[in-house]
Amino acid sequence: MAIEGSDDKFSGRIRLGMVGGGRDAFIGAVHRIAARLDDRYELVAGCFSSTAEKSQASGADLGLPTDRVYDDYTAMAKREARLKTGIQAVAIVTPNHVHLGPAREFLRRGIHVICDKPLTATLPDARKLAKAAEKSDALFVLTHNYTGYPMIRQAQAMVAAGELGEIRVVQVEYPQDWLAEPLEGTGQKQADWRTDPARSGAGGSTGDIGTHAYHLARFVTGLPLEALSADLQSFVEGRRVDDNAHVMLRFQSGARGMLWSSQVATGYDNRLRLRVFGSKGGIEWMQEDPNTLWYSPLGEPTRRLTRSGAHVGEAANRLSRIPPGHPEGYLEGFANIYSEAADAIQARLTGTTPDAAVAYPGISDGLEGVAFVNACVKSSAANAKWTKLDL
Amino acid sequence: MAIEGSDDKFSGRIRLGMVGGGRDAFIGAVHRIAARLDDRYELVAGCFSSTAEKSQASGADLGLPTDRVYDDYTAMAKREARLKTGIQAVAIVTPNHVHLGPAREFLRRGIHVICDKPLTATLPDARKLAKAAEKSDALFVLTHNYTGYPMIRQAQAMVAAGELGEIRVVQVEYPQDWLAEPLEGTGQKQADWRTDPARSGAGGSTGDIGTHAYHLARFVTGLPLEALSADLQSFVEGRRVDDNAHVMLRFQSGARGMLWSSQVATGYDNRLRLRVFGSKGGIEWMQEDPNTLWYSPLGEPTRRLTRSGAHVGEAANRLSRIPPGHPEGYLEGFANIYSEAADAIQARLTGTTPDAAVAYPGISDGLEGVAFVNACVKSSAANAKWTKLDL
Amino acid sequence: MAIEGSDDKFSGRIRLGMVGGGRDAFIGAVHRIAARLDDRYELVAGCFSSTAEKSQASGADLGLPTDRVYDDYTAMAKREARLKTGIQAVAIVTPNHVHLGPAREFLRRGIHVICDKPLTATLPDARKLAKAAEKSDALFVLTHNYTGYPMIRQAQAMVAAGELGEIRVVQVEYPQDWLAEPLEGTGQKQADWRTDPARSGAGGSTGDIGTHAYHLARFVTGLPLEALSADLQSFVEGRRVDDNAHVMLRFQSGARGMLWSSQVATGYDNRLRLRVFGSKGGIEWMQEDPNTLWYSPLGEPTRRLTRSGAHVGEAANRLSRIPPGHPEGYLEGFANIYSEAADAIQARLTGTTPDAAVAYPGISDGLEGVAFVNACVKSSAANAKWTKLDL
Amino acid sequence: MAIEGSDDKFSGRIRLGMVGGGRDAFIGAVHRIAARLDDRYELVAGCFSSTAEKSQASGADLGLPTDRVYDDYTAMAKREARLKTGIQAVAIVTPNHVHLGPAREFLRRGIHVICDKPLTATLPDARKLAKAAEKSDALFVLTHNYTGYPMIRQAQAMVAAGELGEIRVVQVEYPQDWLAEPLEGTGQKQADWRTDPARSGAGGSTGDIGTHAYHLARFVTGLPLEALSADLQSFVEGRRVDDNAHVMLRFQSGARGMLWSSQVATGYDNRLRLRVFGSKGGIEWMQEDPNTLWYSPLGEPTRRLTRSGAHVGEAANRLSRIPPGHPEGYLEGFANIYSEAADAIQARLTGTTPDAAVAYPGISDGLEGVAFVNACVKSSAANAKWTKLDL
């Protein structure tokens, strides 16, 4: 993807800032690699911590000049918006409860926002952020990174083209086992905030990974939900949020589904798996082997479709870098969201029309994700009562 | 397993009769192979059809003398019970609604019964059969054949020994796709009766395969159910029973589960899969690769246990015939139920004590299976209300 | 497969005798199950050991009358040939060096022979047996059981139909690890004779499993060998035969191949695998997952063909018993050889024409197998010199 | 991996140039991503083509200033060596016959060289380059990228630690199918030069992928080769180099191996696989699923080791970026070679001691690779005669 900028303001790479993602953070580093991989961004500023010393140390690690390192995201937004070569986009990689604040500050100043998921810790916050995004000219991109995998795009294209016929059943699951023991008591930073309702939101596994699973199913099938019935559990003694969730889904079309998210599924790391069954065929995809999509046309042998391989179409190929048999992975999928965002941002910067195929997740996906978590918690509290998403 | 009979009445092989299983039947032939595989039975009589000509034709196919071929199971039971070398056991392989009748006739005459699943088409019938079994001195064996797989025995033994710790989550599914289209309209015999509530029972996929899935989970974990919440569907136009079922499970211990049965899961033949997750480890088993049991001790690499292989114990080994790497399959698993039944029957015939390890499914499993189907149908009709098994 | 015998001489099941296969033997029990599985044979006599007491004990285990149990195979052949209901066929399951003797005795008396592989321990013996078979009216069947797997028949049919185009490359391997340590020193009976050149032949892994691999490649591709180049090793201290063999193959057609047999391949049980690559497509099959055949038409996605499933033809289906997704295994594949032999034997007994599709391995396959071992040993001794089969 | 440079000359990222890799090239883009992924390099100059216009067009695509884009690698080397902020390292990604020329120019000017494999098209060229590297103070890095996969490092560490015991058997293969048809006649640029002996060298599959397979086996086992016996073929009509190679290996230690490289293996993309069997255990790894290493301790169940997972050590973990279950792929493995090179280059630039664990492939690996191709061609021409590497 050649970069051909002719605009004064735009000199090839999008100038990117980051909020969060200092030393010890996990997802910040992932965002930085994702931004860098296709050479579409240049990290030039950051507010890596609210403690000045920590933020500067992280900035130094990344080779940033001290005057572009902040300890207050509002100050960062204000100053960067005024700088001649200030940031054009910002990545927000803080814990969930600190998404709304910075996102609002940058959006109101016309700086494009790339935000980690889930959108916010609470539904009211999600609504506020949705409004802020609506009012802003800037773009809002949510990194539901799994939809960046090429074979997920292939799956979506096949469903959209009717290759599976009418969708009947959706099975999606995201099991992990990293919280099978009370890790949050040990000082482990990730476990600490992700099991704290005040920072993570009311959902535990539902918020952290269930939203990924839900979004993936939603993205591939395109089916709006009618209602869900959820049975949440906290198996680990003293845990304050769910660590396992069983959810039955009813889609408006009449299709049905099951969703399972778990952080106590001993033996699984990130075994996100999606299966969709239609009247004419079925597909199966697993995140731990993301370059493969199993496709079973009814009454014919199952086929192994591979990234960049035979019978794989443009929707997937435009997000692939290398030939089949050379695996691309999690970082490449994540980078695809960043690169699609770059396409859209550059179109804005240059006043051109964005590529119609760009399909990164946005604010409405984020709102729906938080509504999903909310509905799961509400349904489970009501003994798995069928509950609609409060959109 | 050497056969060492010294009793007058018993001459090495158990004399077996069959009800059902004539030409065109599927499961009858499976039962016959299962009975023959370990040389513990000899088929000597049968009532293969209620039409005399058809029954005789099937009997001739099997090399039976005409005077041991019947067209009325009651007549068969009466005469065989009187014969000096009459049958000692009978296999009932008729459609579900014709289990109770013959089973009762044979049980009341002291002839051991090996019956296909589900126990009956209705819960009242199941209760009647349970009573008949209770009153009889004869044994009642239900061919939930998947519990005959050695690696399922291994799984059960590991759970029982506490190797998984406290069980938290059970995921079990049995997807097929053979009814993805309205096959019952085409004259296909299997589809015909299996989608007819009068013959199959109120459950479709739930009765035909959901009971297998439920029994498998129940057998391996040993956990009694507290309640279930079911969402059943009939996706194929005009179908009178469910062809897809989503079920959430709550066990009395506090463990939770999900069960999925489907006959419209395009791409799957008999993809029965069980996963059990405990506080100390998890296991995974799939019927289409039955010689493997994946075992993940928490915090350690996943291990591939194989039938007859390293770290596999006596519970599995006693049901294995050949070394690891030489796959045993469906018929061998089925034969294991027959051979365990033979152990128990021979113990009765010879007045000896049966092997304590014998673990074939029996009348209470059958009753619970029908109660499971009943609860699914009832729950689904009540919008997935939590429903207890009516035992 | 209904048995419809109308001949006086034939009463439904073929009367079978056995030589070898007493207590402690491995392969004898496999032959008995294979013979029994499809109800085509009845075991009525045996010479299970040359020690009378042992032979009688084994016969009693199997429920045989004492007067049909022998301790001398020549005596058995003589008497059974004279009996009105003497055996019609005999299974020879002794160590390799005791194949020729009994086979010759039964063949010369018109009793059909089903013999374990390899044909004999030495090439001169193989030639003698080939001559004996040629002179006899009786059939000779060699249990290269892996060719009995339905998906191997499917593979053969696809090659024969030109679906792979011109065959270019054949990769076949049979790795095991059961002899990774000096098991022959421990009194283990199987290891003892299989590593003894006097009983097993000059080849170790080449004779025991390399012949299976070679036959499988030969059977599926139909390609005659031009020459081979072999590098044999004995990794375990003191071992007298090869426990690992690397062999390059040149076929007369110009196709090339590699064959690897090993008994020291740590981690493998019976990982026999065949891959064939042609100008238009490739196939892959693995014995440990025998119900699957991977088929890759050039330029199209790989397809997973399954036993009894879509696009699988009659050559495989006629040897299948149950629907796809219900695995058949090693014993069923072995039974297929027995059942094909039964078809041929019954055709002889009834004077009818045998089914043209019957394709069990016979005397020429056996001779070629021993010639293969001989060529491997000879080539390796000459520093991997290209060597032709001495047929 | 924080970059902490304090030297005047070094400002955080290594200034990188590139020779080759213009529009239409495949591997050049891969090198650029690999260099960028961990933020250790900045591409600042390039000679992308010997045609000025083409080179400038490629430079513009990459955002390079025109005065840093060259059409003559010697001119580039001269000028960059003189520039105050000239390149510190150069990536050479031209066809094989154009490795020696540029490498020599940069090496003699003290600019570090990162060169694609194989080292050169001919053995004399390889020797010249080895001498040039020896005389230079600059580093020479060869991108045998598959050794950059973390689980390959884990495998090497396990072998080195004796976990497999004494190595007995090595099985390595690299099958592809992209040249199953005469693609070189169609104008496809990659097929064109890679099948031209003048540009690619005397080996076809042996040079292009056989060298990767050989290096992988050599790297993991550490075993020097005694001799090889090769049987090369050109299956496609008119092809001038081998497209399939069968090679038997004898290692100096007494271990034996087989190597297969193929570009006509229908159904395979880049199915590079390595298996190593020792007296105490075996391992198996496949490039298409690179995050997994199967480990089979003798007599114990096989274990699935995963990148960053349990029981995986520092040698692998230092090259991992993200948690287990989130796959890293080909580009990350390639980037690991670049990042290890960066460690070594920065150590040179800053006068510090390089990390002892740095293990990128270098000039001697390159020389051995070309000697391997040479020996294959020579051995095959002599009817697979055992041939030593001419080192």
Side-chain angles (χ1 to χ4, degrees):
Chain A
M1 310 182 226
I3 297 168
E4 290 165 285
S6 59
D7 189 68
D8 264 350
K9 199 181 166 192
F10 175 65
S11 62
R13 296 185 190 85
I14 296 165
R15 294 186 299 276
L16 181 71
M18 178 167 276
V19 176
R23 289 176 173 180
D24 297 338
F26 157 61
I27 205 68
V30 167
H31 278 253
R32 287 191 294 266
I33 295 175
R36 197 158 60 225
L37 204 135
D38 292 320
D39 209 17
R40 306 290 297 272
Y41 297 87
E42 184 177 13
L43 184 69
V44 296
C47 172
F48 303 104
S49 167
S50 53
T51 308
E53 194 184 13
K54 282 191 190 170
S55 192
Q56 283 294 348
S58 294
D61 286 350
L62 298 163
L64 296 186
T66 54
D67 69 332
R68 299 296 285 278
V69 178
Y70 306 83
D71 50 31
D72 176 327
Y73 57 74
T74 308
M76 175 180 169
K78 284 180 182 165
R79 182 157 177 269
E80 289 290 328
R82 282 195 312 262
L83 283 178
K84 200 185 156 116
T85 55
I87 60 172
Q88 297 161 314
V90 68
I92 298 177
V93 297
T94 44
N96 308 344
H97 70 307
V98 193
H99 289 175
L100 171 62
R104 210 154 39 178
E105 294 301 328
F106 290 94
L107 284 172
R108 75 167 45 136
R109 288 171 181 88
I111 293 170
H112 305 289
V113 169
I114 300 170
C115 183
D116 208 72
K117 49 53 57 188
L119 187 63
T120 56
T122 70
L123 193 49
D125 272 13
R127 292 216 181 89
K128 285 177 200 161
L129 185 42
K131 266 185 199 138
E134 204 182 321
K135 284 201 303 191
S136 171
D137 283 341
L139 299 167
F140 185 89
V141 177
L142 193 75
T143 52
H144 266 312
N145 58 291
Y146 301 111
T147 55
Y149 276 116
M151 296 314 276
I152 284 298
R153 299 302 175 99
Q154 172 68 16
Q156 189 198 41
M158 289 172 72
V159 171
E163 290 189 51
L164 305 195
E166 193 185 359
I167 301 309
R168 292 169 168 173
V169 179
V170 179
Q171 296 282 343
V172 65
E173 62 185 46
Y174 196 151
Q176 303 178 321
D177 72 0
W178 71 292
L179 290 176
E181 295 189 319
L183 195 60
E184 60 266 52
T186 66
Q188 209 263 14
K189 198 183 158 183
Q190 293 297 321
D192 193 39
W193 79 259
R194 287 177 199 265
T195 59
D196 175 5
R199 286 177 283 171
S200 180
S205 78
T206 45
D208 202 30
I209 52 178
T211 47
H212 273 309
Y214 176 75
H215 177 69
L216 196 70
R218 183 75 172 81
F219 177 86
V220 167
T221 66
L223 297 177
L225 197 74
E226 171 63 30
L228 61 76
S229 163
D231 194 27
L232 311 189
Q233 302 85 35
S234 299
F235 282 111
V236 170
E237 185 73 30
R239 184 155 292 159
R240 290 173 295 165
V241 290
D242 68 83
D243 51 24
N244 191 79
H246 294 164
V247 189
M248 298 196 297
L249 307 170
R250 290 180 180 166
F251 296 95
Q252 293 174 15
S253 68
R256 305 289 174 96
M258 293 178 104
L259 183 151
W260 172 43
S261 66
S262 184
Q263 293 163 329
V264 299
T266 25
Y268 287 153
D269 291 318
N270 287 284
R271 199 67 67 90
L272 173 61
R273 171 158 43 188
L274 175 68
R275 295 178 288 178
V276 179
F277 306 94
S279 55
K280 291 167 56 181
I283 51 172
E284 179 164 0
W285 179 85
M286 199 165 73
Q287 196 266 151
E288 297 194 3
D289 180 21
N291 297 281
T292 302
L293 180 69
W294 297 96
Y295 167 46
S296 302
L298 182 60
E300 294 183 32
T302 294
R303 283 142 169 81
R304 181 176 173 263
L305 306 187
T306 57
R307 189 185 47 72
S308 299
H311 291 282
V312 173
E314 182 53 21
N317 291 340
R318 56 186 283 280
L319 299 179
S320 294
R321 292 160 190 82
I322 45 176
H326 280 144
E328 295 194 20
Y330 175 87
L331 295 169
E332 287 82 357
F334 217 111
N336 285 335
I337 302 294
Y338 263 86
S339 293
E340 290 206 310
D343 286 343
I345 292 170
Q346 288 184 347
R348 286 289 176 94
L349 294 173
T350 57
T352 57
T353 309
D355 181 347
V358 164
Y360 60 78
I363 189 75
S364 65
D365 301 287
L367 185 56
E368 188 167 337
V370 180
F372 165 80
V373 175
N374 212 52
C376 285
V377 172
K378 214 166 122 188
S379 169
S380 188
N383 205 22
K385 189 180 170 185
W386 288 101
T387 304
K388 287 178 186 294
L389 299 198
D390 192 1
L391 288 172
Chain B
M1 310 182 225
I3 297 169
E4 289 166 285
S6 59
D7 189 68
D8 264 350
K9 199 181 168 190
F10 175 64
S11 64
R13 295 184 190 86
I14 296 166
R15 294 185 300 276
L16 182 70
M18 179 168 276
V19 176
R23 289 177 173 179
D24 296 339
F26 157 61
I27 205 68
V30 167
H31 278 253
R32 287 192 293 268
I33 296 176
R36 198 159 58 226
L37 206 134
D38 292 321
D39 209 17
R40 306 290 297 272
Y41 297 86
E42 184 177 13
L43 183 69
V44 297
C47 172
F48 303 104
S49 168
S50 55
T51 307
E53 195 184 12
K54 281 191 190 170
S55 192
Q56 283 293 349
S58 293
D61 286 351
L62 298 164
L64 295 185
T66 54
D67 69 331
R68 300 295 285 277
V69 177
Y70 305 83
D71 50 30
D72 177 326
Y73 57 74
T74 308
M76 175 179 169
K78 285 180 182 166
R79 183 160 177 266
E80 290 290 329
R82 283 195 310 262
L83 283 177
K84 198 183 160 121
T85 56
I87 60 171
Q88 296 160 315
V90 67
I92 298 177
V93 297
T94 45
N96 308 345
H97 69 306
V98 194
H99 288 176
L100 171 62
R104 210 154 38 179
E105 294 300 328
F106 290 95
L107 284 172
R108 75 166 46 137
R109 287 172 182 88
I111 293 170
H112 305 290
V113 170
I114 300 170
C115 183
D116 208 71
K117 49 51 60 187
L119 187 64
T120 57
T122 70
L123 192 50
D125 272 13
R127 290 214 182 90
K128 285 176 200 160
L129 186 40
K131 266 184 200 139
E134 204 181 323
K135 284 202 302 191
S136 172
D137 282 343
L139 298 167
F140 185 89
V141 177
L142 193 75
T143 53
H144 267 312
N145 57 290
Y146 300 112
T147 53
Y149 276 116
M151 296 315 275
I152 284 299
R153 300 301 176 99
Q154 172 68 17
Q156 190 199 39
M158 288 171 72
V159 170
E163 290 190 51
L164 306 195
E166 193 185 0
I167 302 307
R168 291 169 168 173
V169 179
V170 179
Q171 296 283 342
V172 65
E173 62 186 45
Y174 196 151
Q176 303 178 323
D177 72 359
W178 72 292
L179 290 175
E181 295 189 320
L183 194 60
E184 59 266 51
T186 66
Q188 209 261 14
K189 198 183 159 183
Q190 293 297 321
D192 194 38
W193 80 258
R194 287 178 200 265
T195 61
D196 176 5
R199 286 177 283 172
S200 180
S205 78
T206 43
D208 203 30
I209 51 178
T211 46
H212 274 308
Y214 176 75
H215 177 69
L216 197 69
R218 183 75 172 79
F219 178 84
V220 168
T221 66
L223 297 177
L225 197 73
E226 170 64 29
L228 60 77
S229 162
D231 194 27
L232 311 189
Q233 302 85 36
S234 299
F235 282 112
V236 170
E237 186 72 30
R239 183 155 292 158
R240 291 173 294 164
V241 291
D242 68 83
D243 52 23
N244 191 80
H246 294 166
V247 189
M248 299 195 298
L249 308 170
R250 289 180 180 166
F251 296 94
Q252 293 173 15
S253 69
R256 304 290 173 96
M258 292 177 105
L259 182 150
W260 172 44
S261 66
S262 184
Q263 292 164 329
V264 299
T266 26
Y268 288 152
D269 292 318
N270 286 284
R271 199 66 68 88
L272 172 62
R273 171 158 44 189
L274 175 69
R275 297 178 287 178
V276 179
F277 306 94
S279 56
K280 290 167 57 181
I283 51 173
E284 177 163 1
W285 179 86
M286 197 165 76
Q287 195 266 151
E288 298 194 2
D289 180 22
N291 297 282
T292 303
L293 179 70
W294 297 96
Y295 166 47
S296 302
L298 182 60
E300 294 184 32
T302 294
R303 282 143 169 80
R304 181 177 173 263
L305 306 187
T306 57
R307 188 185 48 72
S308 297
H311 291 283
V312 173
E314 183 53 20
N317 291 342
R318 57 185 283 279
L319 299 179
S320 295
R321 292 160 190 82
I322 44 177
H326 280 144
E328 295 195 21
Y330 174 88
L331 295 169
E332 287 82 358
F334 217 112
N336 286 335
I337 302 294
Y338 263 86
S339 294
E340 290 206 311
D343 286 344
I345 292 170
Q346 288 184 347
R348 285 290 175 95
L349 294 172
T350 57
T352 56
T353 309
D355 180 349
V358 165
Y360 61 78
I363 190 73
S364 64
D365 301 287
L367 184 57
E368 187 166 338
V370 180
F372 166 79
V373 175
N374 211 54
C376 285
V377 171
K378 213 166 126 189
S379 168
S380 189
N383 205 22
K385 189 180 169 184
W386 287 102
T387 304
K388 287 178 186 293
L389 300 197
D390 191 2
L391 289 172
Chain C
M1 309 183 226
I3 297 168
E4 290 166 285
S6 59
D7 189 69
D8 264 351
K9 199 181 168 191
F10 175 64
S11 61
R13 294 184 191 85
I14 296 164
R15 294 186 300 276
L16 181 71
M18 180 168 275
V19 176
R23 289 177 172 179
D24 296 338
F26 157 62
I27 205 67
V30 167
H31 279 253
R32 287 192 293 266
I33 296 175
R36 197 158 60 226
L37 204 134
D38 293 320
D39 209 17
R40 306 291 297 273
Y41 297 86
E42 184 176 14
L43 183 69
V44 297
C47 172
F48 303 104
S49 168
S50 55
T51 308
E53 195 184 10
K54 282 191 190 171
S55 192
Q56 283 293 348
S58 294
D61 286 350
L62 298 164
L64 295 186
T66 53
D67 69 330
R68 300 294 286 275
V69 178
Y70 306 84
D71 51 30
D72 176 327
Y73 57 75
T74 307
M76 174 180 170
K78 284 180 181 165
R79 182 158 176 268
E80 289 291 328
R82 282 195 312 263
L83 283 178
K84 200 184 158 117
T85 55
I87 59 172
Q88 297 161 313
V90 67
I92 298 177
V93 297
T94 43
N96 308 345
H97 70 306
V98 193
H99 289 176
L100 172 63
R104 208 152 43 176
E105 294 301 328
F106 290 94
L107 283 172
R108 75 166 45 138
R109 287 172 180 88
I111 293 170
H112 305 290
V113 169
I114 300 170
C115 183
D116 208 72
K117 51 49 57 185
L119 188 63
T120 56
T122 70
L123 192 50
D125 272 12
R127 291 214 182 90
K128 285 177 199 160
L129 185 41
K131 265 185 199 138
E134 203 181 325
K135 284 201 302 192
S136 171
D137 282 341
L139 299 168
F140 185 90
V141 177
L142 193 74
T143 52
H144 266 312
N145 57 290
Y146 301 111
T147 55
Y149 276 116
M151 297 313 277
I152 284 299
R153 300 300 176 100
Q154 172 68 16
Q156 189 199 41
M158 290 172 70
V159 170
E163 291 189 52
L164 305 196
E166 193 184 0
I167 302 308
R168 291 170 169 172
V169 179
V170 179
Q171 295 283 342
V172 65
E173 62 185 47
Y174 196 151
Q176 304 179 322
D177 72 0
W178 71 293
L179 290 176
E181 295 189 320
L183 194 60
E184 60 265 51
T186 67
Q188 209 263 12
K189 197 181 158 183
Q190 293 297 321
D192 193 39
W193 79 259
R194 288 177 200 266
T195 60
D196 175 4
R199 286 177 283 171
S200 180
S205 78
T206 44
D208 202 29
I209 52 178
T211 47
H212 274 307
Y214 176 75
H215 177 69
L216 196 70
R218 184 72 173 81
F219 177 86
V220 168
T221 66
L223 297 177
L225 197 73
E226 171 63 30
L228 61 76
S229 163
D231 194 28
L232 312 189
Q233 302 84 35
S234 299
F235 282 111
V236 170
E237 185 72 30
R239 183 155 292 159
R240 291 172 294 165
V241 291
D242 68 83
D243 51 24
N244 190 79
H246 294 164
V247 189
M248 300 196 296
L249 308 170
R250 289 180 181 167
F251 297 95
Q252 292 173 16
S253 69
R256 304 290 173 97
M258 292 176 105
L259 182 151
W260 172 43
S261 67
S262 184
Q263 293 165 328
V264 299
T266 25
Y268 288 153
D269 291 319
N270 285 284
R271 200 65 69 88
L272 172 61
R273 172 158 42 188
L274 175 68
R275 296 179 287 179
V276 179
F277 306 93
S279 55
K280 291 168 57 182
I283 52 173
E284 179 164 0
W285 179 85
M286 198 164 74
Q287 196 267 150
E288 297 194 2
D289 180 21
N291 297 280
T292 303
L293 179 68
W294 297 96
Y295 167 46
S296 303
L298 183 60
E300 295 183 32
T302 294
R303 284 143 168 80
R304 181 177 174 263
L305 306 186
T306 58
R307 189 185 47 73
S308 298
H311 291 283
V312 172
E314 181 54 20
N317 291 342
R318 57 185 284 277
L319 298 179
S320 294
R321 293 161 189 81
I322 45 176
H326 280 145
E328 295 195 21
Y330 175 88
L331 295 169
E332 287 83 356
F334 217 111
N336 285 335
I337 302 294
Y338 263 86
S339 293
E340 290 207 309
D343 286 343
I345 291 170
Q346 287 184 346
R348 285 291 175 93
L349 294 173
T350 58
T352 57
T353 310
D355 181 347
V358 165
Y360 61 78
I363 190 74
S364 65
D365 301 287
L367 185 56
E368 188 167 337
V370 180
F372 165 80
V373 176
N374 211 52
C376 285
V377 171
K378 213 166 123 189
S379 168
S380 188
N383 205 23
K385 189 180 170 186
W386 288 101
T387 303
K388 288 178 186 293
L389 300 198
D390 191 2
L391 289 171
Chain D
M1 310 182 223
I3 296 168
E4 289 165 285
S6 59
D7 188 68
D8 263 351
K9 200 181 166 190
F10 175 64
S11 62
R13 295 184 190 84
I14 295 165
R15 294 186 300 275
L16 182 70
M18 180 167 276
V19 175
R23 290 178 173 179
D24 298 338
F26 157 62
I27 205 67
V30 167
H31 278 253
R32 287 191 294 267
I33 296 176
R36 196 158 59 226
L37 205 133
D38 292 320
D39 209 17
R40 307 290 297 273
Y41 297 87
E42 185 177 12
L43 184 69
V44 296
C47 172
F48 303 103
S49 168
S50 54
T51 308
E53 195 185 12
K54 281 192 190 170
S55 192
Q56 283 293 348
S58 294
D61 286 351
L62 298 164
L64 295 186
T66 54
D67 69 330
R68 301 293 287 276
V69 178
Y70 307 83
D71 50 31
D72 177 326
Y73 59 72
T74 308
M76 174 180 169
K78 285 180 181 167
R79 183 161 175 266
E80 289 290 328
R82 283 194 311 261
L83 283 177
K84 200 184 156 119
T85 56
I87 60 172
Q88 296 162 313
V90 67
I92 298 177
V93 297
T94 44
N96 308 345
H97 70 306
V98 194
H99 289 176
L100 171 63
R104 209 152 41 177
E105 294 301 329
F106 290 95
L107 284 172
R108 74 167 47 140
R109 288 172 182 88
I111 293 170
H112 305 291
V113 169
I114 300 171
C115 183
D116 208 72
K117 51 47 62 187
L119 187 64
T120 56
T122 70
L123 192 51
D125 272 12
R127 291 214 182 90
K128 285 177 199 161
L129 185 40
K131 266 185 199 140
E134 204 181 323
K135 285 202 302 192
S136 172
D137 282 342
L139 298 168
F140 185 90
V141 177
L142 194 74
T143 52
H144 266 313
N145 58 290
Y146 301 111
T147 54
Y149 276 115
M151 296 314 276
I152 285 298
R153 300 301 176 100
Q154 172 68 18
Q156 189 198 39
M158 289 171 72
V159 171
E163 291 190 52
L164 307 196
E166 193 184 0
I167 302 307
R168 292 169 169 173
V169 179
V170 179
Q171 295 282 340
V172 65
E173 62 186 45
Y174 196 151
Q176 304 178 322
D177 72 359
W178 72 291
L179 290 175
E181 295 189 320
L183 194 60
E184 59 267 51
T186 67
Q188 210 263 13
K189 197 182 157 182
Q190 293 297 321
D192 194 38
W193 80 258
R194 287 178 199 265
T195 61
D196 175 5
R199 286 177 284 172
S200 181
S205 78
T206 43
D208 202 29
I209 51 178
T211 46
H212 274 309
Y214 176 75
H215 177 68
L216 197 69
R218 183 76 172 78
F219 178 85
V220 168
T221 65
L223 297 178
L225 197 73
E226 170 64 30
L228 59 78
S229 162
D231 195 27
L232 311 189
Q233 302 84 35
S234 299
F235 281 112
V236 171
E237 186 72 31
R239 183 154 292 157
R240 290 173 294 165
V241 291
D242 68 84
D243 51 25
N244 191 79
H246 294 165
V247 189
M248 298 196 298
L249 307 170
R250 289 181 180 165
F251 296 95
Q252 293 173 15
S253 69
R256 303 290 173 96
M258 292 177 104
L259 181 151
W260 173 42
S261 66
S262 184
Q263 293 163 329
V264 300
T266 25
Y268 288 153
D269 292 319
N270 286 285
R271 199 66 68 89
L272 173 61
R273 170 157 45 188
L274 175 68
R275 297 179 286 179
V276 180
F277 305 93
S279 55
K280 291 167 56 181
I283 52 173
E284 178 164 0
W285 178 86
M286 198 164 74
Q287 195 267 150
E288 297 194 2
D289 179 22
N291 296 282
T292 303
L293 179 69
W294 297 96
Y295 167 47
S296 302
L298 182 61
E300 294 183 32
T302 294
R303 284 143 167 81
R304 181 177 173 262
L305 306 187
T306 58
R307 188 186 48 72
S308 297
H311 290 283
V312 172
E314 182 54 18
N317 291 342
R318 57 186 282 278
L319 298 179
S320 295
R321 293 160 190 83
I322 45 177
H326 280 144
E328 296 195 21
Y330 175 87
L331 295 170
E332 287 82 357
F334 217 112
N336 285 335
I337 302 293
Y338 263 86
S339 294
E340 290 207 310
D343 286 344
I345 293 170
Q346 288 184 347
R348 285 291 175 93
L349 293 173
T350 57
T352 56
T353 309
D355 181 348
V358 165
Y360 61 79
I363 189 73
S364 65
D365 301 287
L367 184 57
E368 188 166 337
V370 179
F372 165 79
V373 175
N374 210 53
C376 285
V377 171
K378 213 166 125 188
S379 168
S380 189
N383 205 22
K385 189 179 170 186
W386 288 101
T387 304
K388 288 178 185 294
L389 300 197
D390 191 1
L391 288 172

